[in-house]
Amino acid sequence: KEAWQTSAAATASNVNMAMWYDAVKDSVEQLIEQAILLSQKYDAVVTNPPYMGSGNMGGLLSEYTKKVYPDTKYDLFACCIKNGFNMLKPTGFNAMVTMHAWMFLSSYETLRDEIIQTKTIRALLQMDNMVMGIAFGTAATIIENSLIKNYTAAFTKIKMSDTGHGVQTGQGQSRDAHRHKDGGNGNRHAEHLKEAGNAAAENLERS
């Protein structure tokens, strides 16, 4: 901002430049303020990022994500997870509600590895389809932007049957109750996420 003001003062004797500076002053100062905000590092990033698969992206957005986010280019929500870490201080927290696809799909194995090897999952809440009223599973996560080795995180899974609104079967039990008889809550090391994700990816690819 100071550089812009210095440049304007230095060219004040030039009528054309002075008129140009005056015409764009407000918009440029606004852009400078936005750039300052975007370049800062934060203690926490908290958001529910947009979801958009690469197949629905326009050409410009698709090229941008491929160039800037090659490991998460498959969906905007995953790009936002990645960018969330870029916006944080080393000990900041990335807290997001996203699709849970990044936990399982082979496309996101690199992202999972990065999180496990360089970040610390403090808490992860996985919710089945329709728990939040939407037709796909979601994950609410709090991830620290640095690694604490052997940290024991809190992992919780909410099944549709836990909400009392599971789809009923002929036997009077929800389908979710049949699928998940063994509860999904507990404290675990983040390495379990990699094991579970890789196993799920293999099952999906075989099916």
Side-chain angles (χ1 to χ4, degrees):
K1 192 170 184 178
E2 288 78 6
W4 167 259
Q5 293 170 345
T6 300
S7 176
T11 57
S13 59
N14 185 312
V15 175
N16 289 332
M17 288 300 296
M19 292 175 63
W20 181 81
Y21 274 110
D22 186 64
V24 301
K25 178 181 64 176
D26 292 339
S27 59
V28 169
E29 289 186 354
Q30 185 178 15
L31 288 172
I32 291 172
E33 292 294 337
Q34 291 174 349
I36 291 171
L37 288 174
L38 291 172
S39 64
Q40 289 179 346
K41 297 296 183 179
Y42 298 92
D43 294 302
V45 172
V46 182
T47 187
N48 174 208
Y51 308 156
M52 179 182 286
S54 57
N56 293 318
M57 295 180 188
L60 188 61
L61 179 58
S62 178
E63 288 302 315
Y64 178 80
T65 55
K66 288 175 183 177
K67 180 180 179 180
V68 181
Y69 303 104
D71 298 331
T72 55
K73 61 189 176 185
Y74 311 100
D75 199 290
L76 272 185
F77 86 84
C79 297
C80 290
I81 293 176
K82 184 83 171 181
N83 191 53
F85 293 122
N86 295 336
M87 298 172 67
L88 288 172
K89 296 177 182 178
T91 55
F93 292 91
N94 190 349
M96 295 193 181
V97 178
T98 67
M99 297 174 69
H100 70 181
W102 69 269
M103 297 171 56
F104 309 111
L105 297 185
S106 58
S107 306
Y108 299 114
E109 185 174 355
T110 301
L111 175 62
R112 289 196 297 272
D113 286 344
E114 178 184 350
I115 290 173
I116 291 166
Q117 294 170 13
T118 66
K119 318 295 181 186
T120 302
I121 298 175
R122 291 298 196 101
L124 192 156
L125 169 63
Q126 183 188 357
M127 292 166 278
D128 275 353
N129 292 7
M130 298 307 296
V131 168
M132 292 188 67
I134 47 181
F136 51 80
T138 51
T141 54
I142 301 175
I143 305 175
E144 187 170 346
N145 197 28
S146 58
L147 179 64
I148 302 175
K149 290 186 177 180
N150 299 317
Y151 182 83
T152 301
F155 289 86
T156 304
K157 181 170 184 178
I158 298 179
K159 307 178 289 291
M160 192 61 188
S161 56
D162 296 328
T163 69
H165 299 289
V167 180
Q168 296 299 312
T169 68
Q171 289 73 36
Q173 287 182 292
S174 71
R175 293 175 187 169
D176 299 280
H178 285 299
R179 287 202 300 267
H180 305 285
K181 294 181 180 180
D182 60 338
N185 303 337
N187 298 320
R188 305 176 189 174
H189 296 302
E191 285 76 7
H192 290 287
L193 174 62
K194 182 176 181 178
E195 296 169 4
N198 291 342
E202 290 176 5
N203 289 335
L204 286 171
E205 289 169 356
R206 282 199 299 266
S207 61

PDB file of all heavy atoms in Angstrom, residues 1-34:
ATOM      1  N   LYS A   1       0.829  -1.197   0.000  1.00  0.00           N
ATOM      2  CA  LYS A   1       0.000   0.000   0.000  1.00  0.00           C
ATOM      3  C   LYS A   1       0.866   1.251   0.000  1.00  0.00           C
ATOM      4  O   LYS A   1       0.595   2.213  -0.716  1.00  0.00           O
ATOM      5  CB  LYS A   1      -0.929  -0.013   1.217  1.00  0.00           C
ATOM      6  CG  LYS A   1      -2.035   1.030   1.165  1.00  0.00           C
ATOM      7  CD  LYS A   1      -3.035   0.801   2.273  1.00  0.00           C
ATOM      8  CE  LYS A   1      -4.189   1.778   2.176  1.00  0.00           C
ATOM      9  NZ  LYS A   1      -5.204   1.545   3.223  1.00  0.00           N
ATOM     10  N   GLU A   2       1.927   1.234   0.808  1.00  0.00           N
ATOM     11  CA  GLU A   2       2.837   2.362   0.852  1.00  0.00           C
ATOM     12  C   GLU A   2       3.528   2.545  -0.501  1.00  0.00           C
ATOM     13  O   GLU A   2       3.752   3.680  -0.954  1.00  0.00           O
ATOM     14  CB  GLU A   2       3.877   2.162   1.956  1.00  0.00           C
ATOM     15  CG  GLU A   2       3.345   2.305   3.374  1.00  0.00           C
ATOM     16  CD  GLU A   2       2.590   1.071   3.847  1.00  0.00           C
ATOM     17  OE1 GLU A   2       2.590   0.063   3.105  1.00  0.00           O
ATOM     18  OE2 GLU A   2       1.998   1.122   4.938  1.00  0.00           O
ATOM     19  N   ALA A   3       3.872   1.435  -1.146  1.00  0.00           N
ATOM     20  CA  ALA A   3       4.521   1.492  -2.454  1.00  0.00           C
ATOM     21  C   ALA A   3       3.610   2.149  -3.486  1.00  0.00           C
ATOM     22  O   ALA A   3       4.057   2.939  -4.331  1.00  0.00           O
ATOM     23  CB  ALA A   3       4.921   0.095  -2.913  1.00  0.00           C
ATOM     24  N   TRP A   4       2.324   1.816  -3.421  1.00  0.00           N
ATOM     25  CA  TRP A   4       1.355   2.421  -4.337  1.00  0.00           C
ATOM     26  C   TRP A   4       1.264   3.919  -4.107  1.00  0.00           C
ATOM     27  O   TRP A   4       1.283   4.712  -5.053  1.00  0.00           O
ATOM     28  CB  TRP A   4      -0.016   1.772  -4.124  1.00  0.00           C
ATOM     29  CG  TRP A   4      -1.152   2.515  -4.780  1.00  0.00           C
ATOM     30  CD1 TRP A   4      -2.034   3.364  -4.171  1.00  0.00           C
ATOM     31  CD2 TRP A   4      -1.516   2.502  -6.163  1.00  0.00           C
ATOM     32  NE1 TRP A   4      -2.933   3.866  -5.084  1.00  0.00           N
ATOM     33  CE2 TRP A   4      -2.632   3.351  -6.316  1.00  0.00           C
ATOM     34  CE3 TRP A   4      -1.010   1.850  -7.275  1.00  0.00           C
ATOM     35  CZ2 TRP A   4      -3.246   3.565  -7.537  1.00  0.00           C
ATOM     36  CZ3 TRP A   4      -1.624   2.058  -8.500  1.00  0.00           C
ATOM     37  CH2 TRP A   4      -2.723   2.902  -8.624  1.00  0.00           C
ATOM     38  N   GLN A   5       1.208   4.331  -2.867  1.00  0.00           N
ATOM     39  CA  GLN A   5       1.116   5.749  -2.537  1.00  0.00           C
ATOM     40  C   GLN A   5       2.390   6.490  -2.950  1.00  0.00           C
ATOM     41  O   GLN A   5       2.333   7.620  -3.441  1.00  0.00           O
ATOM     42  CB  GLN A   5       0.845   5.916  -1.043  1.00  0.00           C
ATOM     43  CG  GLN A   5      -0.530   5.418  -0.625  1.00  0.00           C
ATOM     44  CD  GLN A   5      -0.713   5.349   0.876  1.00  0.00           C
ATOM     45  OE1 GLN A   5       0.262   5.401   1.625  1.00  0.00           O
ATOM     46  NE2 GLN A   5      -1.958   5.232   1.322  1.00  0.00           N
ATOM     47  N   THR A   6       3.551   5.871  -2.752  1.00  0.00           N
ATOM     48  CA  THR A   6       4.826   6.478  -3.146  1.00  0.00           C
ATOM     49  C   THR A   6       4.906   6.664  -4.655  1.00  0.00           C
ATOM     50  O   THR A   6       5.340   7.706  -5.160  1.00  0.00           O
ATOM     51  CB  THR A   6       6.005   5.605  -2.676  1.00  0.00           C
ATOM     52  OG1 THR A   6       5.951   5.482  -1.253  1.00  0.00           O
ATOM     53  CG2 THR A   6       7.340   6.219  -3.078  1.00  0.00           C
ATOM     54  N   SER A   7       4.440   5.628  -5.387  1.00  0.00           N
ATOM     55  CA  SER A   7       4.441   5.703  -6.847  1.00  0.00           C
ATOM     56  C   SER A   7       3.520   6.814  -7.332  1.00  0.00           C
ATOM     57  O   SER A   7       3.858   7.553  -8.262  1.00  0.00           O
ATOM     58  CB  SER A   7       4.010   4.359  -7.431  1.00  0.00           C
ATOM     59  OG  SER A   7       3.911   4.426  -8.836  1.00  0.00           O
ATOM     60  N   ALA A   8       2.366   6.936  -6.717  1.00  0.00           N
ATOM     61  CA  ALA A   8       1.421   7.983  -7.099  1.00  0.00           C
ATOM     62  C   ALA A   8       2.010   9.365  -6.862  1.00  0.00           C
ATOM     63  O   ALA A   8       1.873  10.279  -7.685  1.00  0.00           O
ATOM     64  CB  ALA A   8       0.126   7.811  -6.320  1.00  0.00           C
ATOM     65  N   ALA A   9       2.682   9.537  -5.731  1.00  0.00           N
ATOM     66  CA  ALA A   9       3.283  10.835  -5.402  1.00  0.00           C
ATOM     67  C   ALA A   9       4.413  11.176  -6.365  1.00  0.00           C
ATOM     68  O   ALA A   9       4.592  12.333  -6.774  1.00  0.00           O
ATOM     69  CB  ALA A   9       3.794  10.809  -3.962  1.00  0.00           C
ATOM     70  N   ALA A  10       5.178  10.146  -6.754  1.00  0.00           N
ATOM     71  CA  ALA A  10       6.331  10.377  -7.617  1.00  0.00           C
ATOM     72  C   ALA A  10       5.929  10.801  -9.024  1.00  0.00           C
ATOM     73  O   ALA A  10       6.705  11.451  -9.733  1.00  0.00           O
ATOM     74  CB  ALA A  10       7.186   9.119  -7.682  1.00  0.00           C
ATOM     75  N   THR A  11       4.749  10.431  -9.456  1.00  0.00           N
ATOM     76  CA  THR A  11       4.293  10.748 -10.814  1.00  0.00           C
ATOM     77  C   THR A  11       3.211  11.823 -10.812  1.00  0.00           C
ATOM     78  O   THR A  11       2.523  12.019 -11.804  1.00  0.00           O
ATOM     79  CB  THR A  11       3.760   9.479 -11.501  1.00  0.00           C
ATOM     80  OG1 THR A  11       2.702   8.925 -10.705  1.00  0.00           O
ATOM     81  CG2 THR A  11       4.857   8.436 -11.666  1.00  0.00           C
ATOM     82  N   ALA A  12       3.070  12.516  -9.695  1.00  0.00           N
ATOM     83  CA  ALA A  12       2.002  13.510  -9.567  1.00  0.00           C
ATOM     84  C   ALA A  12       2.146  14.645 -10.580  1.00  0.00           C
ATOM     85  O   ALA A  12       1.155  15.271 -10.978  1.00  0.00           O
ATOM     86  CB  ALA A  12       1.988  14.075  -8.147  1.00  0.00           C
ATOM     87  N   SER A  13       3.365  14.936 -11.014  1.00  0.00           N
ATOM     88  CA  SER A  13       3.579  16.031 -11.965  1.00  0.00           C
ATOM     89  C   SER A  13       3.127  15.675 -13.376  1.00  0.00           C
ATOM     90  O   SER A  13       2.943  16.545 -14.215  1.00  0.00           O
ATOM     91  CB  SER A  13       5.066  16.422 -11.983  1.00  0.00           C
ATOM     92  OG  SER A  13       5.862  15.300 -12.357  1.00  0.00           O
ATOM     93  N   ASN A  14       2.955  14.373 -13.622  1.00  0.00           N
ATOM     94  CA  ASN A  14       2.479  13.915 -14.924  1.00  0.00           C
ATOM     95  C   ASN A  14       0.952  13.905 -14.894  1.00  0.00           C
ATOM     96  O   ASN A  14       0.334  13.125 -14.173  1.00  0.00           O
ATOM     97  CB  ASN A  14       3.026  12.522 -15.222  1.00  0.00           C
ATOM     98  CG  ASN A  14       2.658  12.027 -16.616  1.00  0.00           C
ATOM     99  OD1 ASN A  14       1.512  12.106 -17.036  1.00  0.00           O
ATOM    100  ND2 ASN A  14       3.649  11.485 -17.325  1.00  0.00           N
ATOM    101  N   VAL A  15       0.355  14.779 -15.682  1.00  0.00           N
ATOM    102  CA  VAL A  15      -1.104  14.945 -15.629  1.00  0.00           C
ATOM    103  C   VAL A  15      -1.832  13.650 -15.964  1.00  0.00           C
ATOM    104  O   VAL A  15      -2.789  13.256 -15.288  1.00  0.00           O
ATOM    105  CB  VAL A  15      -1.551  16.070 -16.590  1.00  0.00           C
ATOM    106  CG1 VAL A  15      -3.080  16.156 -16.620  1.00  0.00           C
ATOM    107  CG2 VAL A  15      -0.941  17.394 -16.181  1.00  0.00           C
ATOM    108  N   ASN A  16      -1.384  12.968 -17.004  1.00  0.00           N
ATOM    109  CA  ASN A  16      -2.050  11.734 -17.413  1.00  0.00           C
ATOM    110  C   ASN A  16      -1.957  10.663 -16.321  1.00  0.00           C
ATOM    111  O   ASN A  16      -2.939   9.974 -16.012  1.00  0.00           O
ATOM    112  CB  ASN A  16      -1.442  11.199 -18.702  1.00  0.00           C
ATOM    113  CG  ASN A  16      -1.786  12.064 -19.905  1.00  0.00           C
ATOM    114  OD1 ASN A  16      -2.831  12.714 -19.922  1.00  0.00           O
ATOM    115  ND2 ASN A  16      -0.907  12.091 -20.901  1.00  0.00           N
ATOM    116  N   MET A  17      -0.769  10.512 -15.751  1.00  0.00           N
ATOM    117  CA  MET A  17      -0.597   9.521 -14.691  1.00  0.00           C
ATOM    118  C   MET A  17      -1.404   9.904 -13.459  1.00  0.00           C
ATOM    119  O   MET A  17      -1.987   9.041 -12.796  1.00  0.00           O
ATOM    120  CB  MET A  17       0.884   9.387 -14.340  1.00  0.00           C
ATOM    121  CG  MET A  17       1.725   8.679 -15.394  1.00  0.00           C
ATOM    122  SD  MET A  17       1.167   6.986 -15.708  1.00  0.00           S
ATOM    123  CE  MET A  17       1.466   6.206 -14.122  1.00  0.00           C
ATOM    124  N   ALA A  18      -1.425  11.182 -13.143  1.00  0.00           N
ATOM    125  CA  ALA A  18      -2.175  11.639 -11.971  1.00  0.00           C
ATOM    126  C   ALA A  18      -3.663  11.345 -12.148  1.00  0.00           C
ATOM    127  O   ALA A  18      -4.347  10.924 -11.205  1.00  0.00           O
ATOM    128  CB  ALA A  18      -1.942  13.131 -11.754  1.00  0.00           C
ATOM    129  N   MET A  19      -4.182  11.571 -13.365  1.00  0.00           N
ATOM    130  CA  MET A  19      -5.595  11.278 -13.636  1.00  0.00           C
ATOM    131  C   MET A  19      -5.861   9.778 -13.540  1.00  0.00           C
ATOM    132  O   MET A  19      -6.895   9.357 -13.020  1.00  0.00           O
ATOM    133  CB  MET A  19      -5.978  11.798 -15.026  1.00  0.00           C
ATOM    134  CG  MET A  19      -5.977  13.322 -15.132  1.00  0.00           C
ATOM    135  SD  MET A  19      -6.303  13.893 -16.817  1.00  0.00           S
ATOM    136  CE  MET A  19      -7.951  13.259 -17.082  1.00  0.00           C
ATOM    137  N   TRP A  20      -4.906   8.971 -14.031  1.00  0.00           N
ATOM    138  CA  TRP A  20      -5.080   7.513 -13.977  1.00  0.00           C
ATOM    139  C   TRP A  20      -5.075   7.022 -12.534  1.00  0.00           C
ATOM    140  O   TRP A  20      -5.933   6.224 -12.140  1.00  0.00           O
ATOM    141  CB  TRP A  20      -3.970   6.841 -14.774  1.00  0.00           C
ATOM    142  CG  TRP A  20      -4.107   5.337 -14.790  1.00  0.00           C
ATOM    143  CD1 TRP A  20      -4.919   4.598 -15.584  1.00  0.00           C
ATOM    144  CD2 TRP A  20      -3.403   4.414 -13.948  1.00  0.00           C
ATOM    145  NE1 TRP A  20      -4.782   3.262 -15.300  1.00  0.00           N
ATOM    146  CE2 TRP A  20      -3.854   3.119 -14.302  1.00  0.00           C
ATOM    147  CE3 TRP A  20      -2.449   4.556 -12.959  1.00  0.00           C
ATOM    148  CZ2 TRP A  20      -3.377   1.975 -13.675  1.00  0.00           C
ATOM    149  CZ3 TRP A  20      -1.974   3.410 -12.331  1.00  0.00           C
ATOM    150  CH2 TRP A  20      -2.430   2.137 -12.686  1.00  0.00           C
ATOM    151  N   TYR A  21      -4.116   7.494 -11.755  1.00  0.00           N
ATOM    152  CA  TYR A  21      -4.056   7.105 -10.343  1.00  0.00           C
ATOM    153  C   TYR A  21      -5.348   7.480  -9.619  1.00  0.00           C
ATOM    154  O   TYR A  21      -5.880   6.719  -8.812  1.00  0.00           O
ATOM    155  CB  TYR A  21      -2.860   7.761  -9.653  1.00  0.00           C
ATOM    156  CG  TYR A  21      -1.569   7.001  -9.786  1.00  0.00           C
ATOM    157  CD1 TYR A  21      -0.524   7.484 -10.560  1.00  0.00           C
ATOM    158  CD2 TYR A  21      -1.385   5.786  -9.133  1.00  0.00           C
ATOM    159  CE1 TYR A  21       0.666   6.781 -10.692  1.00  0.00           C
ATOM    160  CE2 TYR A  21      -0.195   5.075  -9.250  1.00  0.00           C
ATOM    161  CZ  TYR A  21       0.822   5.572 -10.032  1.00  0.00           C
ATOM    162  OH  TYR A  21       1.990   4.869 -10.148  1.00  0.00           O
ATOM    163  N   ASP A  22      -5.862   8.663  -9.916  1.00  0.00           N
ATOM    164  CA  ASP A  22      -7.083   9.116  -9.246  1.00  0.00           C
ATOM    165  C   ASP A  22      -8.276   8.254  -9.640  1.00  0.00           C
ATOM    166  O   ASP A  22      -9.146   7.950  -8.821  1.00  0.00           O
ATOM    167  CB  ASP A  22      -7.353  10.587  -9.612  1.00  0.00           C
ATOM    168  CG  ASP A  22      -8.527  11.157  -8.831  1.00  0.00           C
ATOM    169  OD1 ASP A  22      -8.418  11.254  -7.588  1.00  0.00           O
ATOM    170  OD2 ASP A  22      -9.553  11.489  -9.464  1.00  0.00           O
ATOM    171  N   ALA A  23      -8.307   7.837 -10.911  1.00  0.00           N
ATOM    172  CA  ALA A  23      -9.442   7.044 -11.407  1.00  0.00           C
ATOM    173  C   ALA A  23      -9.474   5.641 -10.809  1.00  0.00           C
ATOM    174  O   ALA A  23     -10.548   5.093 -10.540  1.00  0.00           O
ATOM    175  CB  ALA A  23      -9.391   6.969 -12.929  1.00  0.00           C
ATOM    176  N   VAL A  24      -8.296   5.033 -10.595  1.00  0.00           N
ATOM    177  CA  VAL A  24      -8.259   3.640 -10.133  1.00  0.00           C
ATOM    178  C   VAL A  24      -7.926   3.515  -8.647  1.00  0.00           C
ATOM    179  O   VAL A  24      -7.841   2.408  -8.126  1.00  0.00           O
ATOM    180  CB  VAL A  24      -7.234   2.821 -10.954  1.00  0.00           C
ATOM    181  CG1 VAL A  24      -7.582   2.852 -12.433  1.00  0.00           C
ATOM    182  CG2 VAL A  24      -5.816   3.329 -10.715  1.00  0.00           C
ATOM    183  N   LYS A  25      -7.758   4.658  -7.978  1.00  0.00           N
ATOM    184  CA  LYS A  25      -7.303   4.653  -6.586  1.00  0.00           C
ATOM    185  C   LYS A  25      -8.147   3.761  -5.693  1.00  0.00           C
ATOM    186  O   LYS A  25      -7.620   2.899  -4.976  1.00  0.00           O
ATOM    187  CB  LYS A  25      -7.302   6.083  -6.043  1.00  0.00           C
ATOM    188  CG  LYS A  25      -6.900   6.181  -4.584  1.00  0.00           C
ATOM    189  CD  LYS A  25      -6.945   7.636  -4.105  1.00  0.00           C
ATOM    190  CE  LYS A  25      -8.377   8.149  -4.166  1.00  0.00           C
ATOM    191  NZ  LYS A  25      -8.476   9.521  -3.613  1.00  0.00           N
ATOM    192  N   ASP A  26      -9.453   3.929  -5.726  1.00  0.00           N
ATOM    193  CA  ASP A  26     -10.322   3.188  -4.801  1.00  0.00           C
ATOM    194  C   ASP A  26     -10.280   1.683  -5.052  1.00  0.00           C
ATOM    195  O   ASP A  26     -10.173   0.876  -4.117  1.00  0.00           O
ATOM    196  CB  ASP A  26     -11.761   3.694  -4.906  1.00  0.00           C
ATOM    197  CG  ASP A  26     -11.906   5.111  -4.374  1.00  0.00           C
ATOM    198  OD1 ASP A  26     -11.029   5.543  -3.591  1.00  0.00           O
ATOM    199  OD2 ASP A  26     -12.883   5.783  -4.750  1.00  0.00           O
ATOM    200  N   SER A  27     -10.352   1.290  -6.334  1.00  0.00           N
ATOM    201  CA  SER A  27     -10.362  -0.148  -6.640  1.00  0.00           C
ATOM    202  C   SER A  27      -9.019  -0.792  -6.332  1.00  0.00           C
ATOM    203  O   SER A  27      -8.960  -1.922  -5.832  1.00  0.00           O
ATOM    204  CB  SER A  27     -10.736  -0.369  -8.104  1.00  0.00           C
ATOM    205  OG  SER A  27      -9.824   0.285  -8.961  1.00  0.00           O
ATOM    206  N   VAL A  28      -7.922  -0.085  -6.601  1.00  0.00           N
ATOM    207  CA  VAL A  28      -6.603  -0.646  -6.329  1.00  0.00           C
ATOM    208  C   VAL A  28      -6.379  -0.789  -4.833  1.00  0.00           C
ATOM    209  O   VAL A  28      -5.863  -1.815  -4.362  1.00  0.00           O
ATOM    210  CB  VAL A  28      -5.489   0.227  -6.954  1.00  0.00           C
ATOM    211  CG1 VAL A  28      -4.117  -0.195  -6.437  1.00  0.00           C
ATOM    212  CG2 VAL A  28      -5.532   0.107  -8.478  1.00  0.00           C
ATOM    213  N   GLU A  29      -6.779   0.203  -4.060  1.00  0.00           N
ATOM    214  CA  GLU A  29      -6.613   0.124  -2.604  1.00  0.00           C
ATOM    215  C   GLU A  29      -7.441  -1.024  -2.026  1.00  0.00           C
ATOM    216  O   GLU A  29      -7.006  -1.708  -1.096  1.00  0.00           O
ATOM    217  CB  GLU A  29      -6.998   1.451  -1.961  1.00  0.00           C
ATOM    218  CG  GLU A  29      -5.992   2.562  -2.236  1.00  0.00           C
ATOM    219  CD  GLU A  29      -6.306   3.844  -1.476  1.00  0.00           C
ATOM    220  OE1 GLU A  29      -7.367   3.887  -0.825  1.00  0.00           O
ATOM    221  OE2 GLU A  29      -5.490   4.773  -1.530  1.00  0.00           O
ATOM    222  N   GLN A  30      -8.616  -1.257  -2.612  1.00  0.00           N
ATOM    223  CA  GLN A  30      -9.439  -2.381  -2.166  1.00  0.00           C
ATOM    224  C   GLN A  30      -8.762  -3.709  -2.485  1.00  0.00           C
ATOM    225  O   GLN A  30      -8.738  -4.628  -1.653  1.00  0.00           O
ATOM    226  CB  GLN A  30     -10.811  -2.330  -2.838  1.00  0.00           C
ATOM    227  CG  GLN A  30     -11.779  -3.402  -2.343  1.00  0.00           C
ATOM    228  CD  GLN A  30     -13.139  -3.296  -3.002  1.00  0.00           C
ATOM    229  OE1 GLN A  30     -13.308  -2.624  -4.008  1.00  0.00           O
ATOM    230  NE2 GLN A  30     -14.114  -3.976  -2.431  1.00  0.00           N
ATOM    231  N   LEU A  31      -8.165  -3.813  -3.673  1.00  0.00           N
ATOM    232  CA  LEU A  31      -7.445  -5.026  -4.046  1.00  0.00           C
ATOM    233  C   LEU A  31      -6.231  -5.246  -3.149  1.00  0.00           C
ATOM    234  O   LEU A  31      -5.909  -6.379  -2.783  1.00  0.00           O
ATOM    235  CB  LEU A  31      -6.994  -4.944  -5.513  1.00  0.00           C
ATOM    236  CG  LEU A  31      -8.095  -5.085  -6.569  1.00  0.00           C
ATOM    237  CD1 LEU A  31      -7.529  -4.787  -7.950  1.00  0.00           C
ATOM    238  CD2 LEU A  31      -8.695  -6.484  -6.533  1.00  0.00           C
ATOM    239  N   ILE A  32      -5.568  -4.167  -2.781  1.00  0.00           N
ATOM    240  CA  ILE A  32      -4.410  -4.278  -1.883  1.00  0.00           C
ATOM    241  C   ILE A  32      -4.848  -4.809  -0.524  1.00  0.00           C
ATOM    242  O   ILE A  32      -4.205  -5.694   0.052  1.00  0.00           O
ATOM    243  CB  ILE A  32      -3.702  -2.908  -1.737  1.00  0.00           C
ATOM    244  CG1 ILE A  32      -3.023  -2.528  -3.055  1.00  0.00           C
ATOM    245  CG2 ILE A  32      -2.669  -2.960  -0.613  1.00  0.00           C
ATOM    246  CD1 ILE A  32      -2.464  -1.119  -3.082  1.00  0.00           C
ATOM    247  N   GLU A  33      -5.954  -4.280  -0.015  1.00  0.00           N
ATOM    248  CA  GLU A  33      -6.469  -4.748   1.274  1.00  0.00           C
ATOM    249  C   GLU A  33      -6.814  -6.235   1.210  1.00  0.00           C
ATOM    250  O   GLU A  33      -6.519  -6.999   2.134  1.00  0.00           O
ATOM    251  CB  GLU A  33      -7.712  -3.941   1.670  1.00  0.00           C
ATOM    252  CG  GLU A  33      -7.441  -2.481   2.006  1.00  0.00           C
ATOM    253  CD  GLU A  33      -6.597  -2.317   3.262  1.00  0.00           C
ATOM    254  OE1 GLU A  33      -6.589  -3.244   4.104  1.00  0.00           O
ATOM    255  OE2 GLU A  33      -5.931  -1.274   3.395  1.00  0.00           O
ATOM    256  N   GLN A  34      -7.439  -6.656   0.111  1.00  0.00           N
ATOM    257  CA  GLN A  34      -7.786  -8.069  -0.054  1.00  0.00           C
ATOM    258  C   GLN A  34      -6.532  -8.933  -0.140  1.00  0.00           C
ATOM    259  O   GLN A  34      -6.475 -10.032   0.432  1.00  0.00           O
ATOM    260  CB  GLN A  34      -8.645  -8.242  -1.307  1.00  0.00           C
ATOM    261  CG  GLN A  34     -10.040  -7.636  -1.186  1.00  0.00           C
ATOM    262  CD  GLN A  34     -10.818  -7.696  -2.476  1.00  0.00           C
ATOM    263  OE1 GLN A  34     -10.273  -8.015  -3.535  1.00  0.00           O
ATOM    264  NE2 GLN A  34     -12.096  -7.370  -2.410  1.00  0.00           N
TER     265      GLN A  34
END
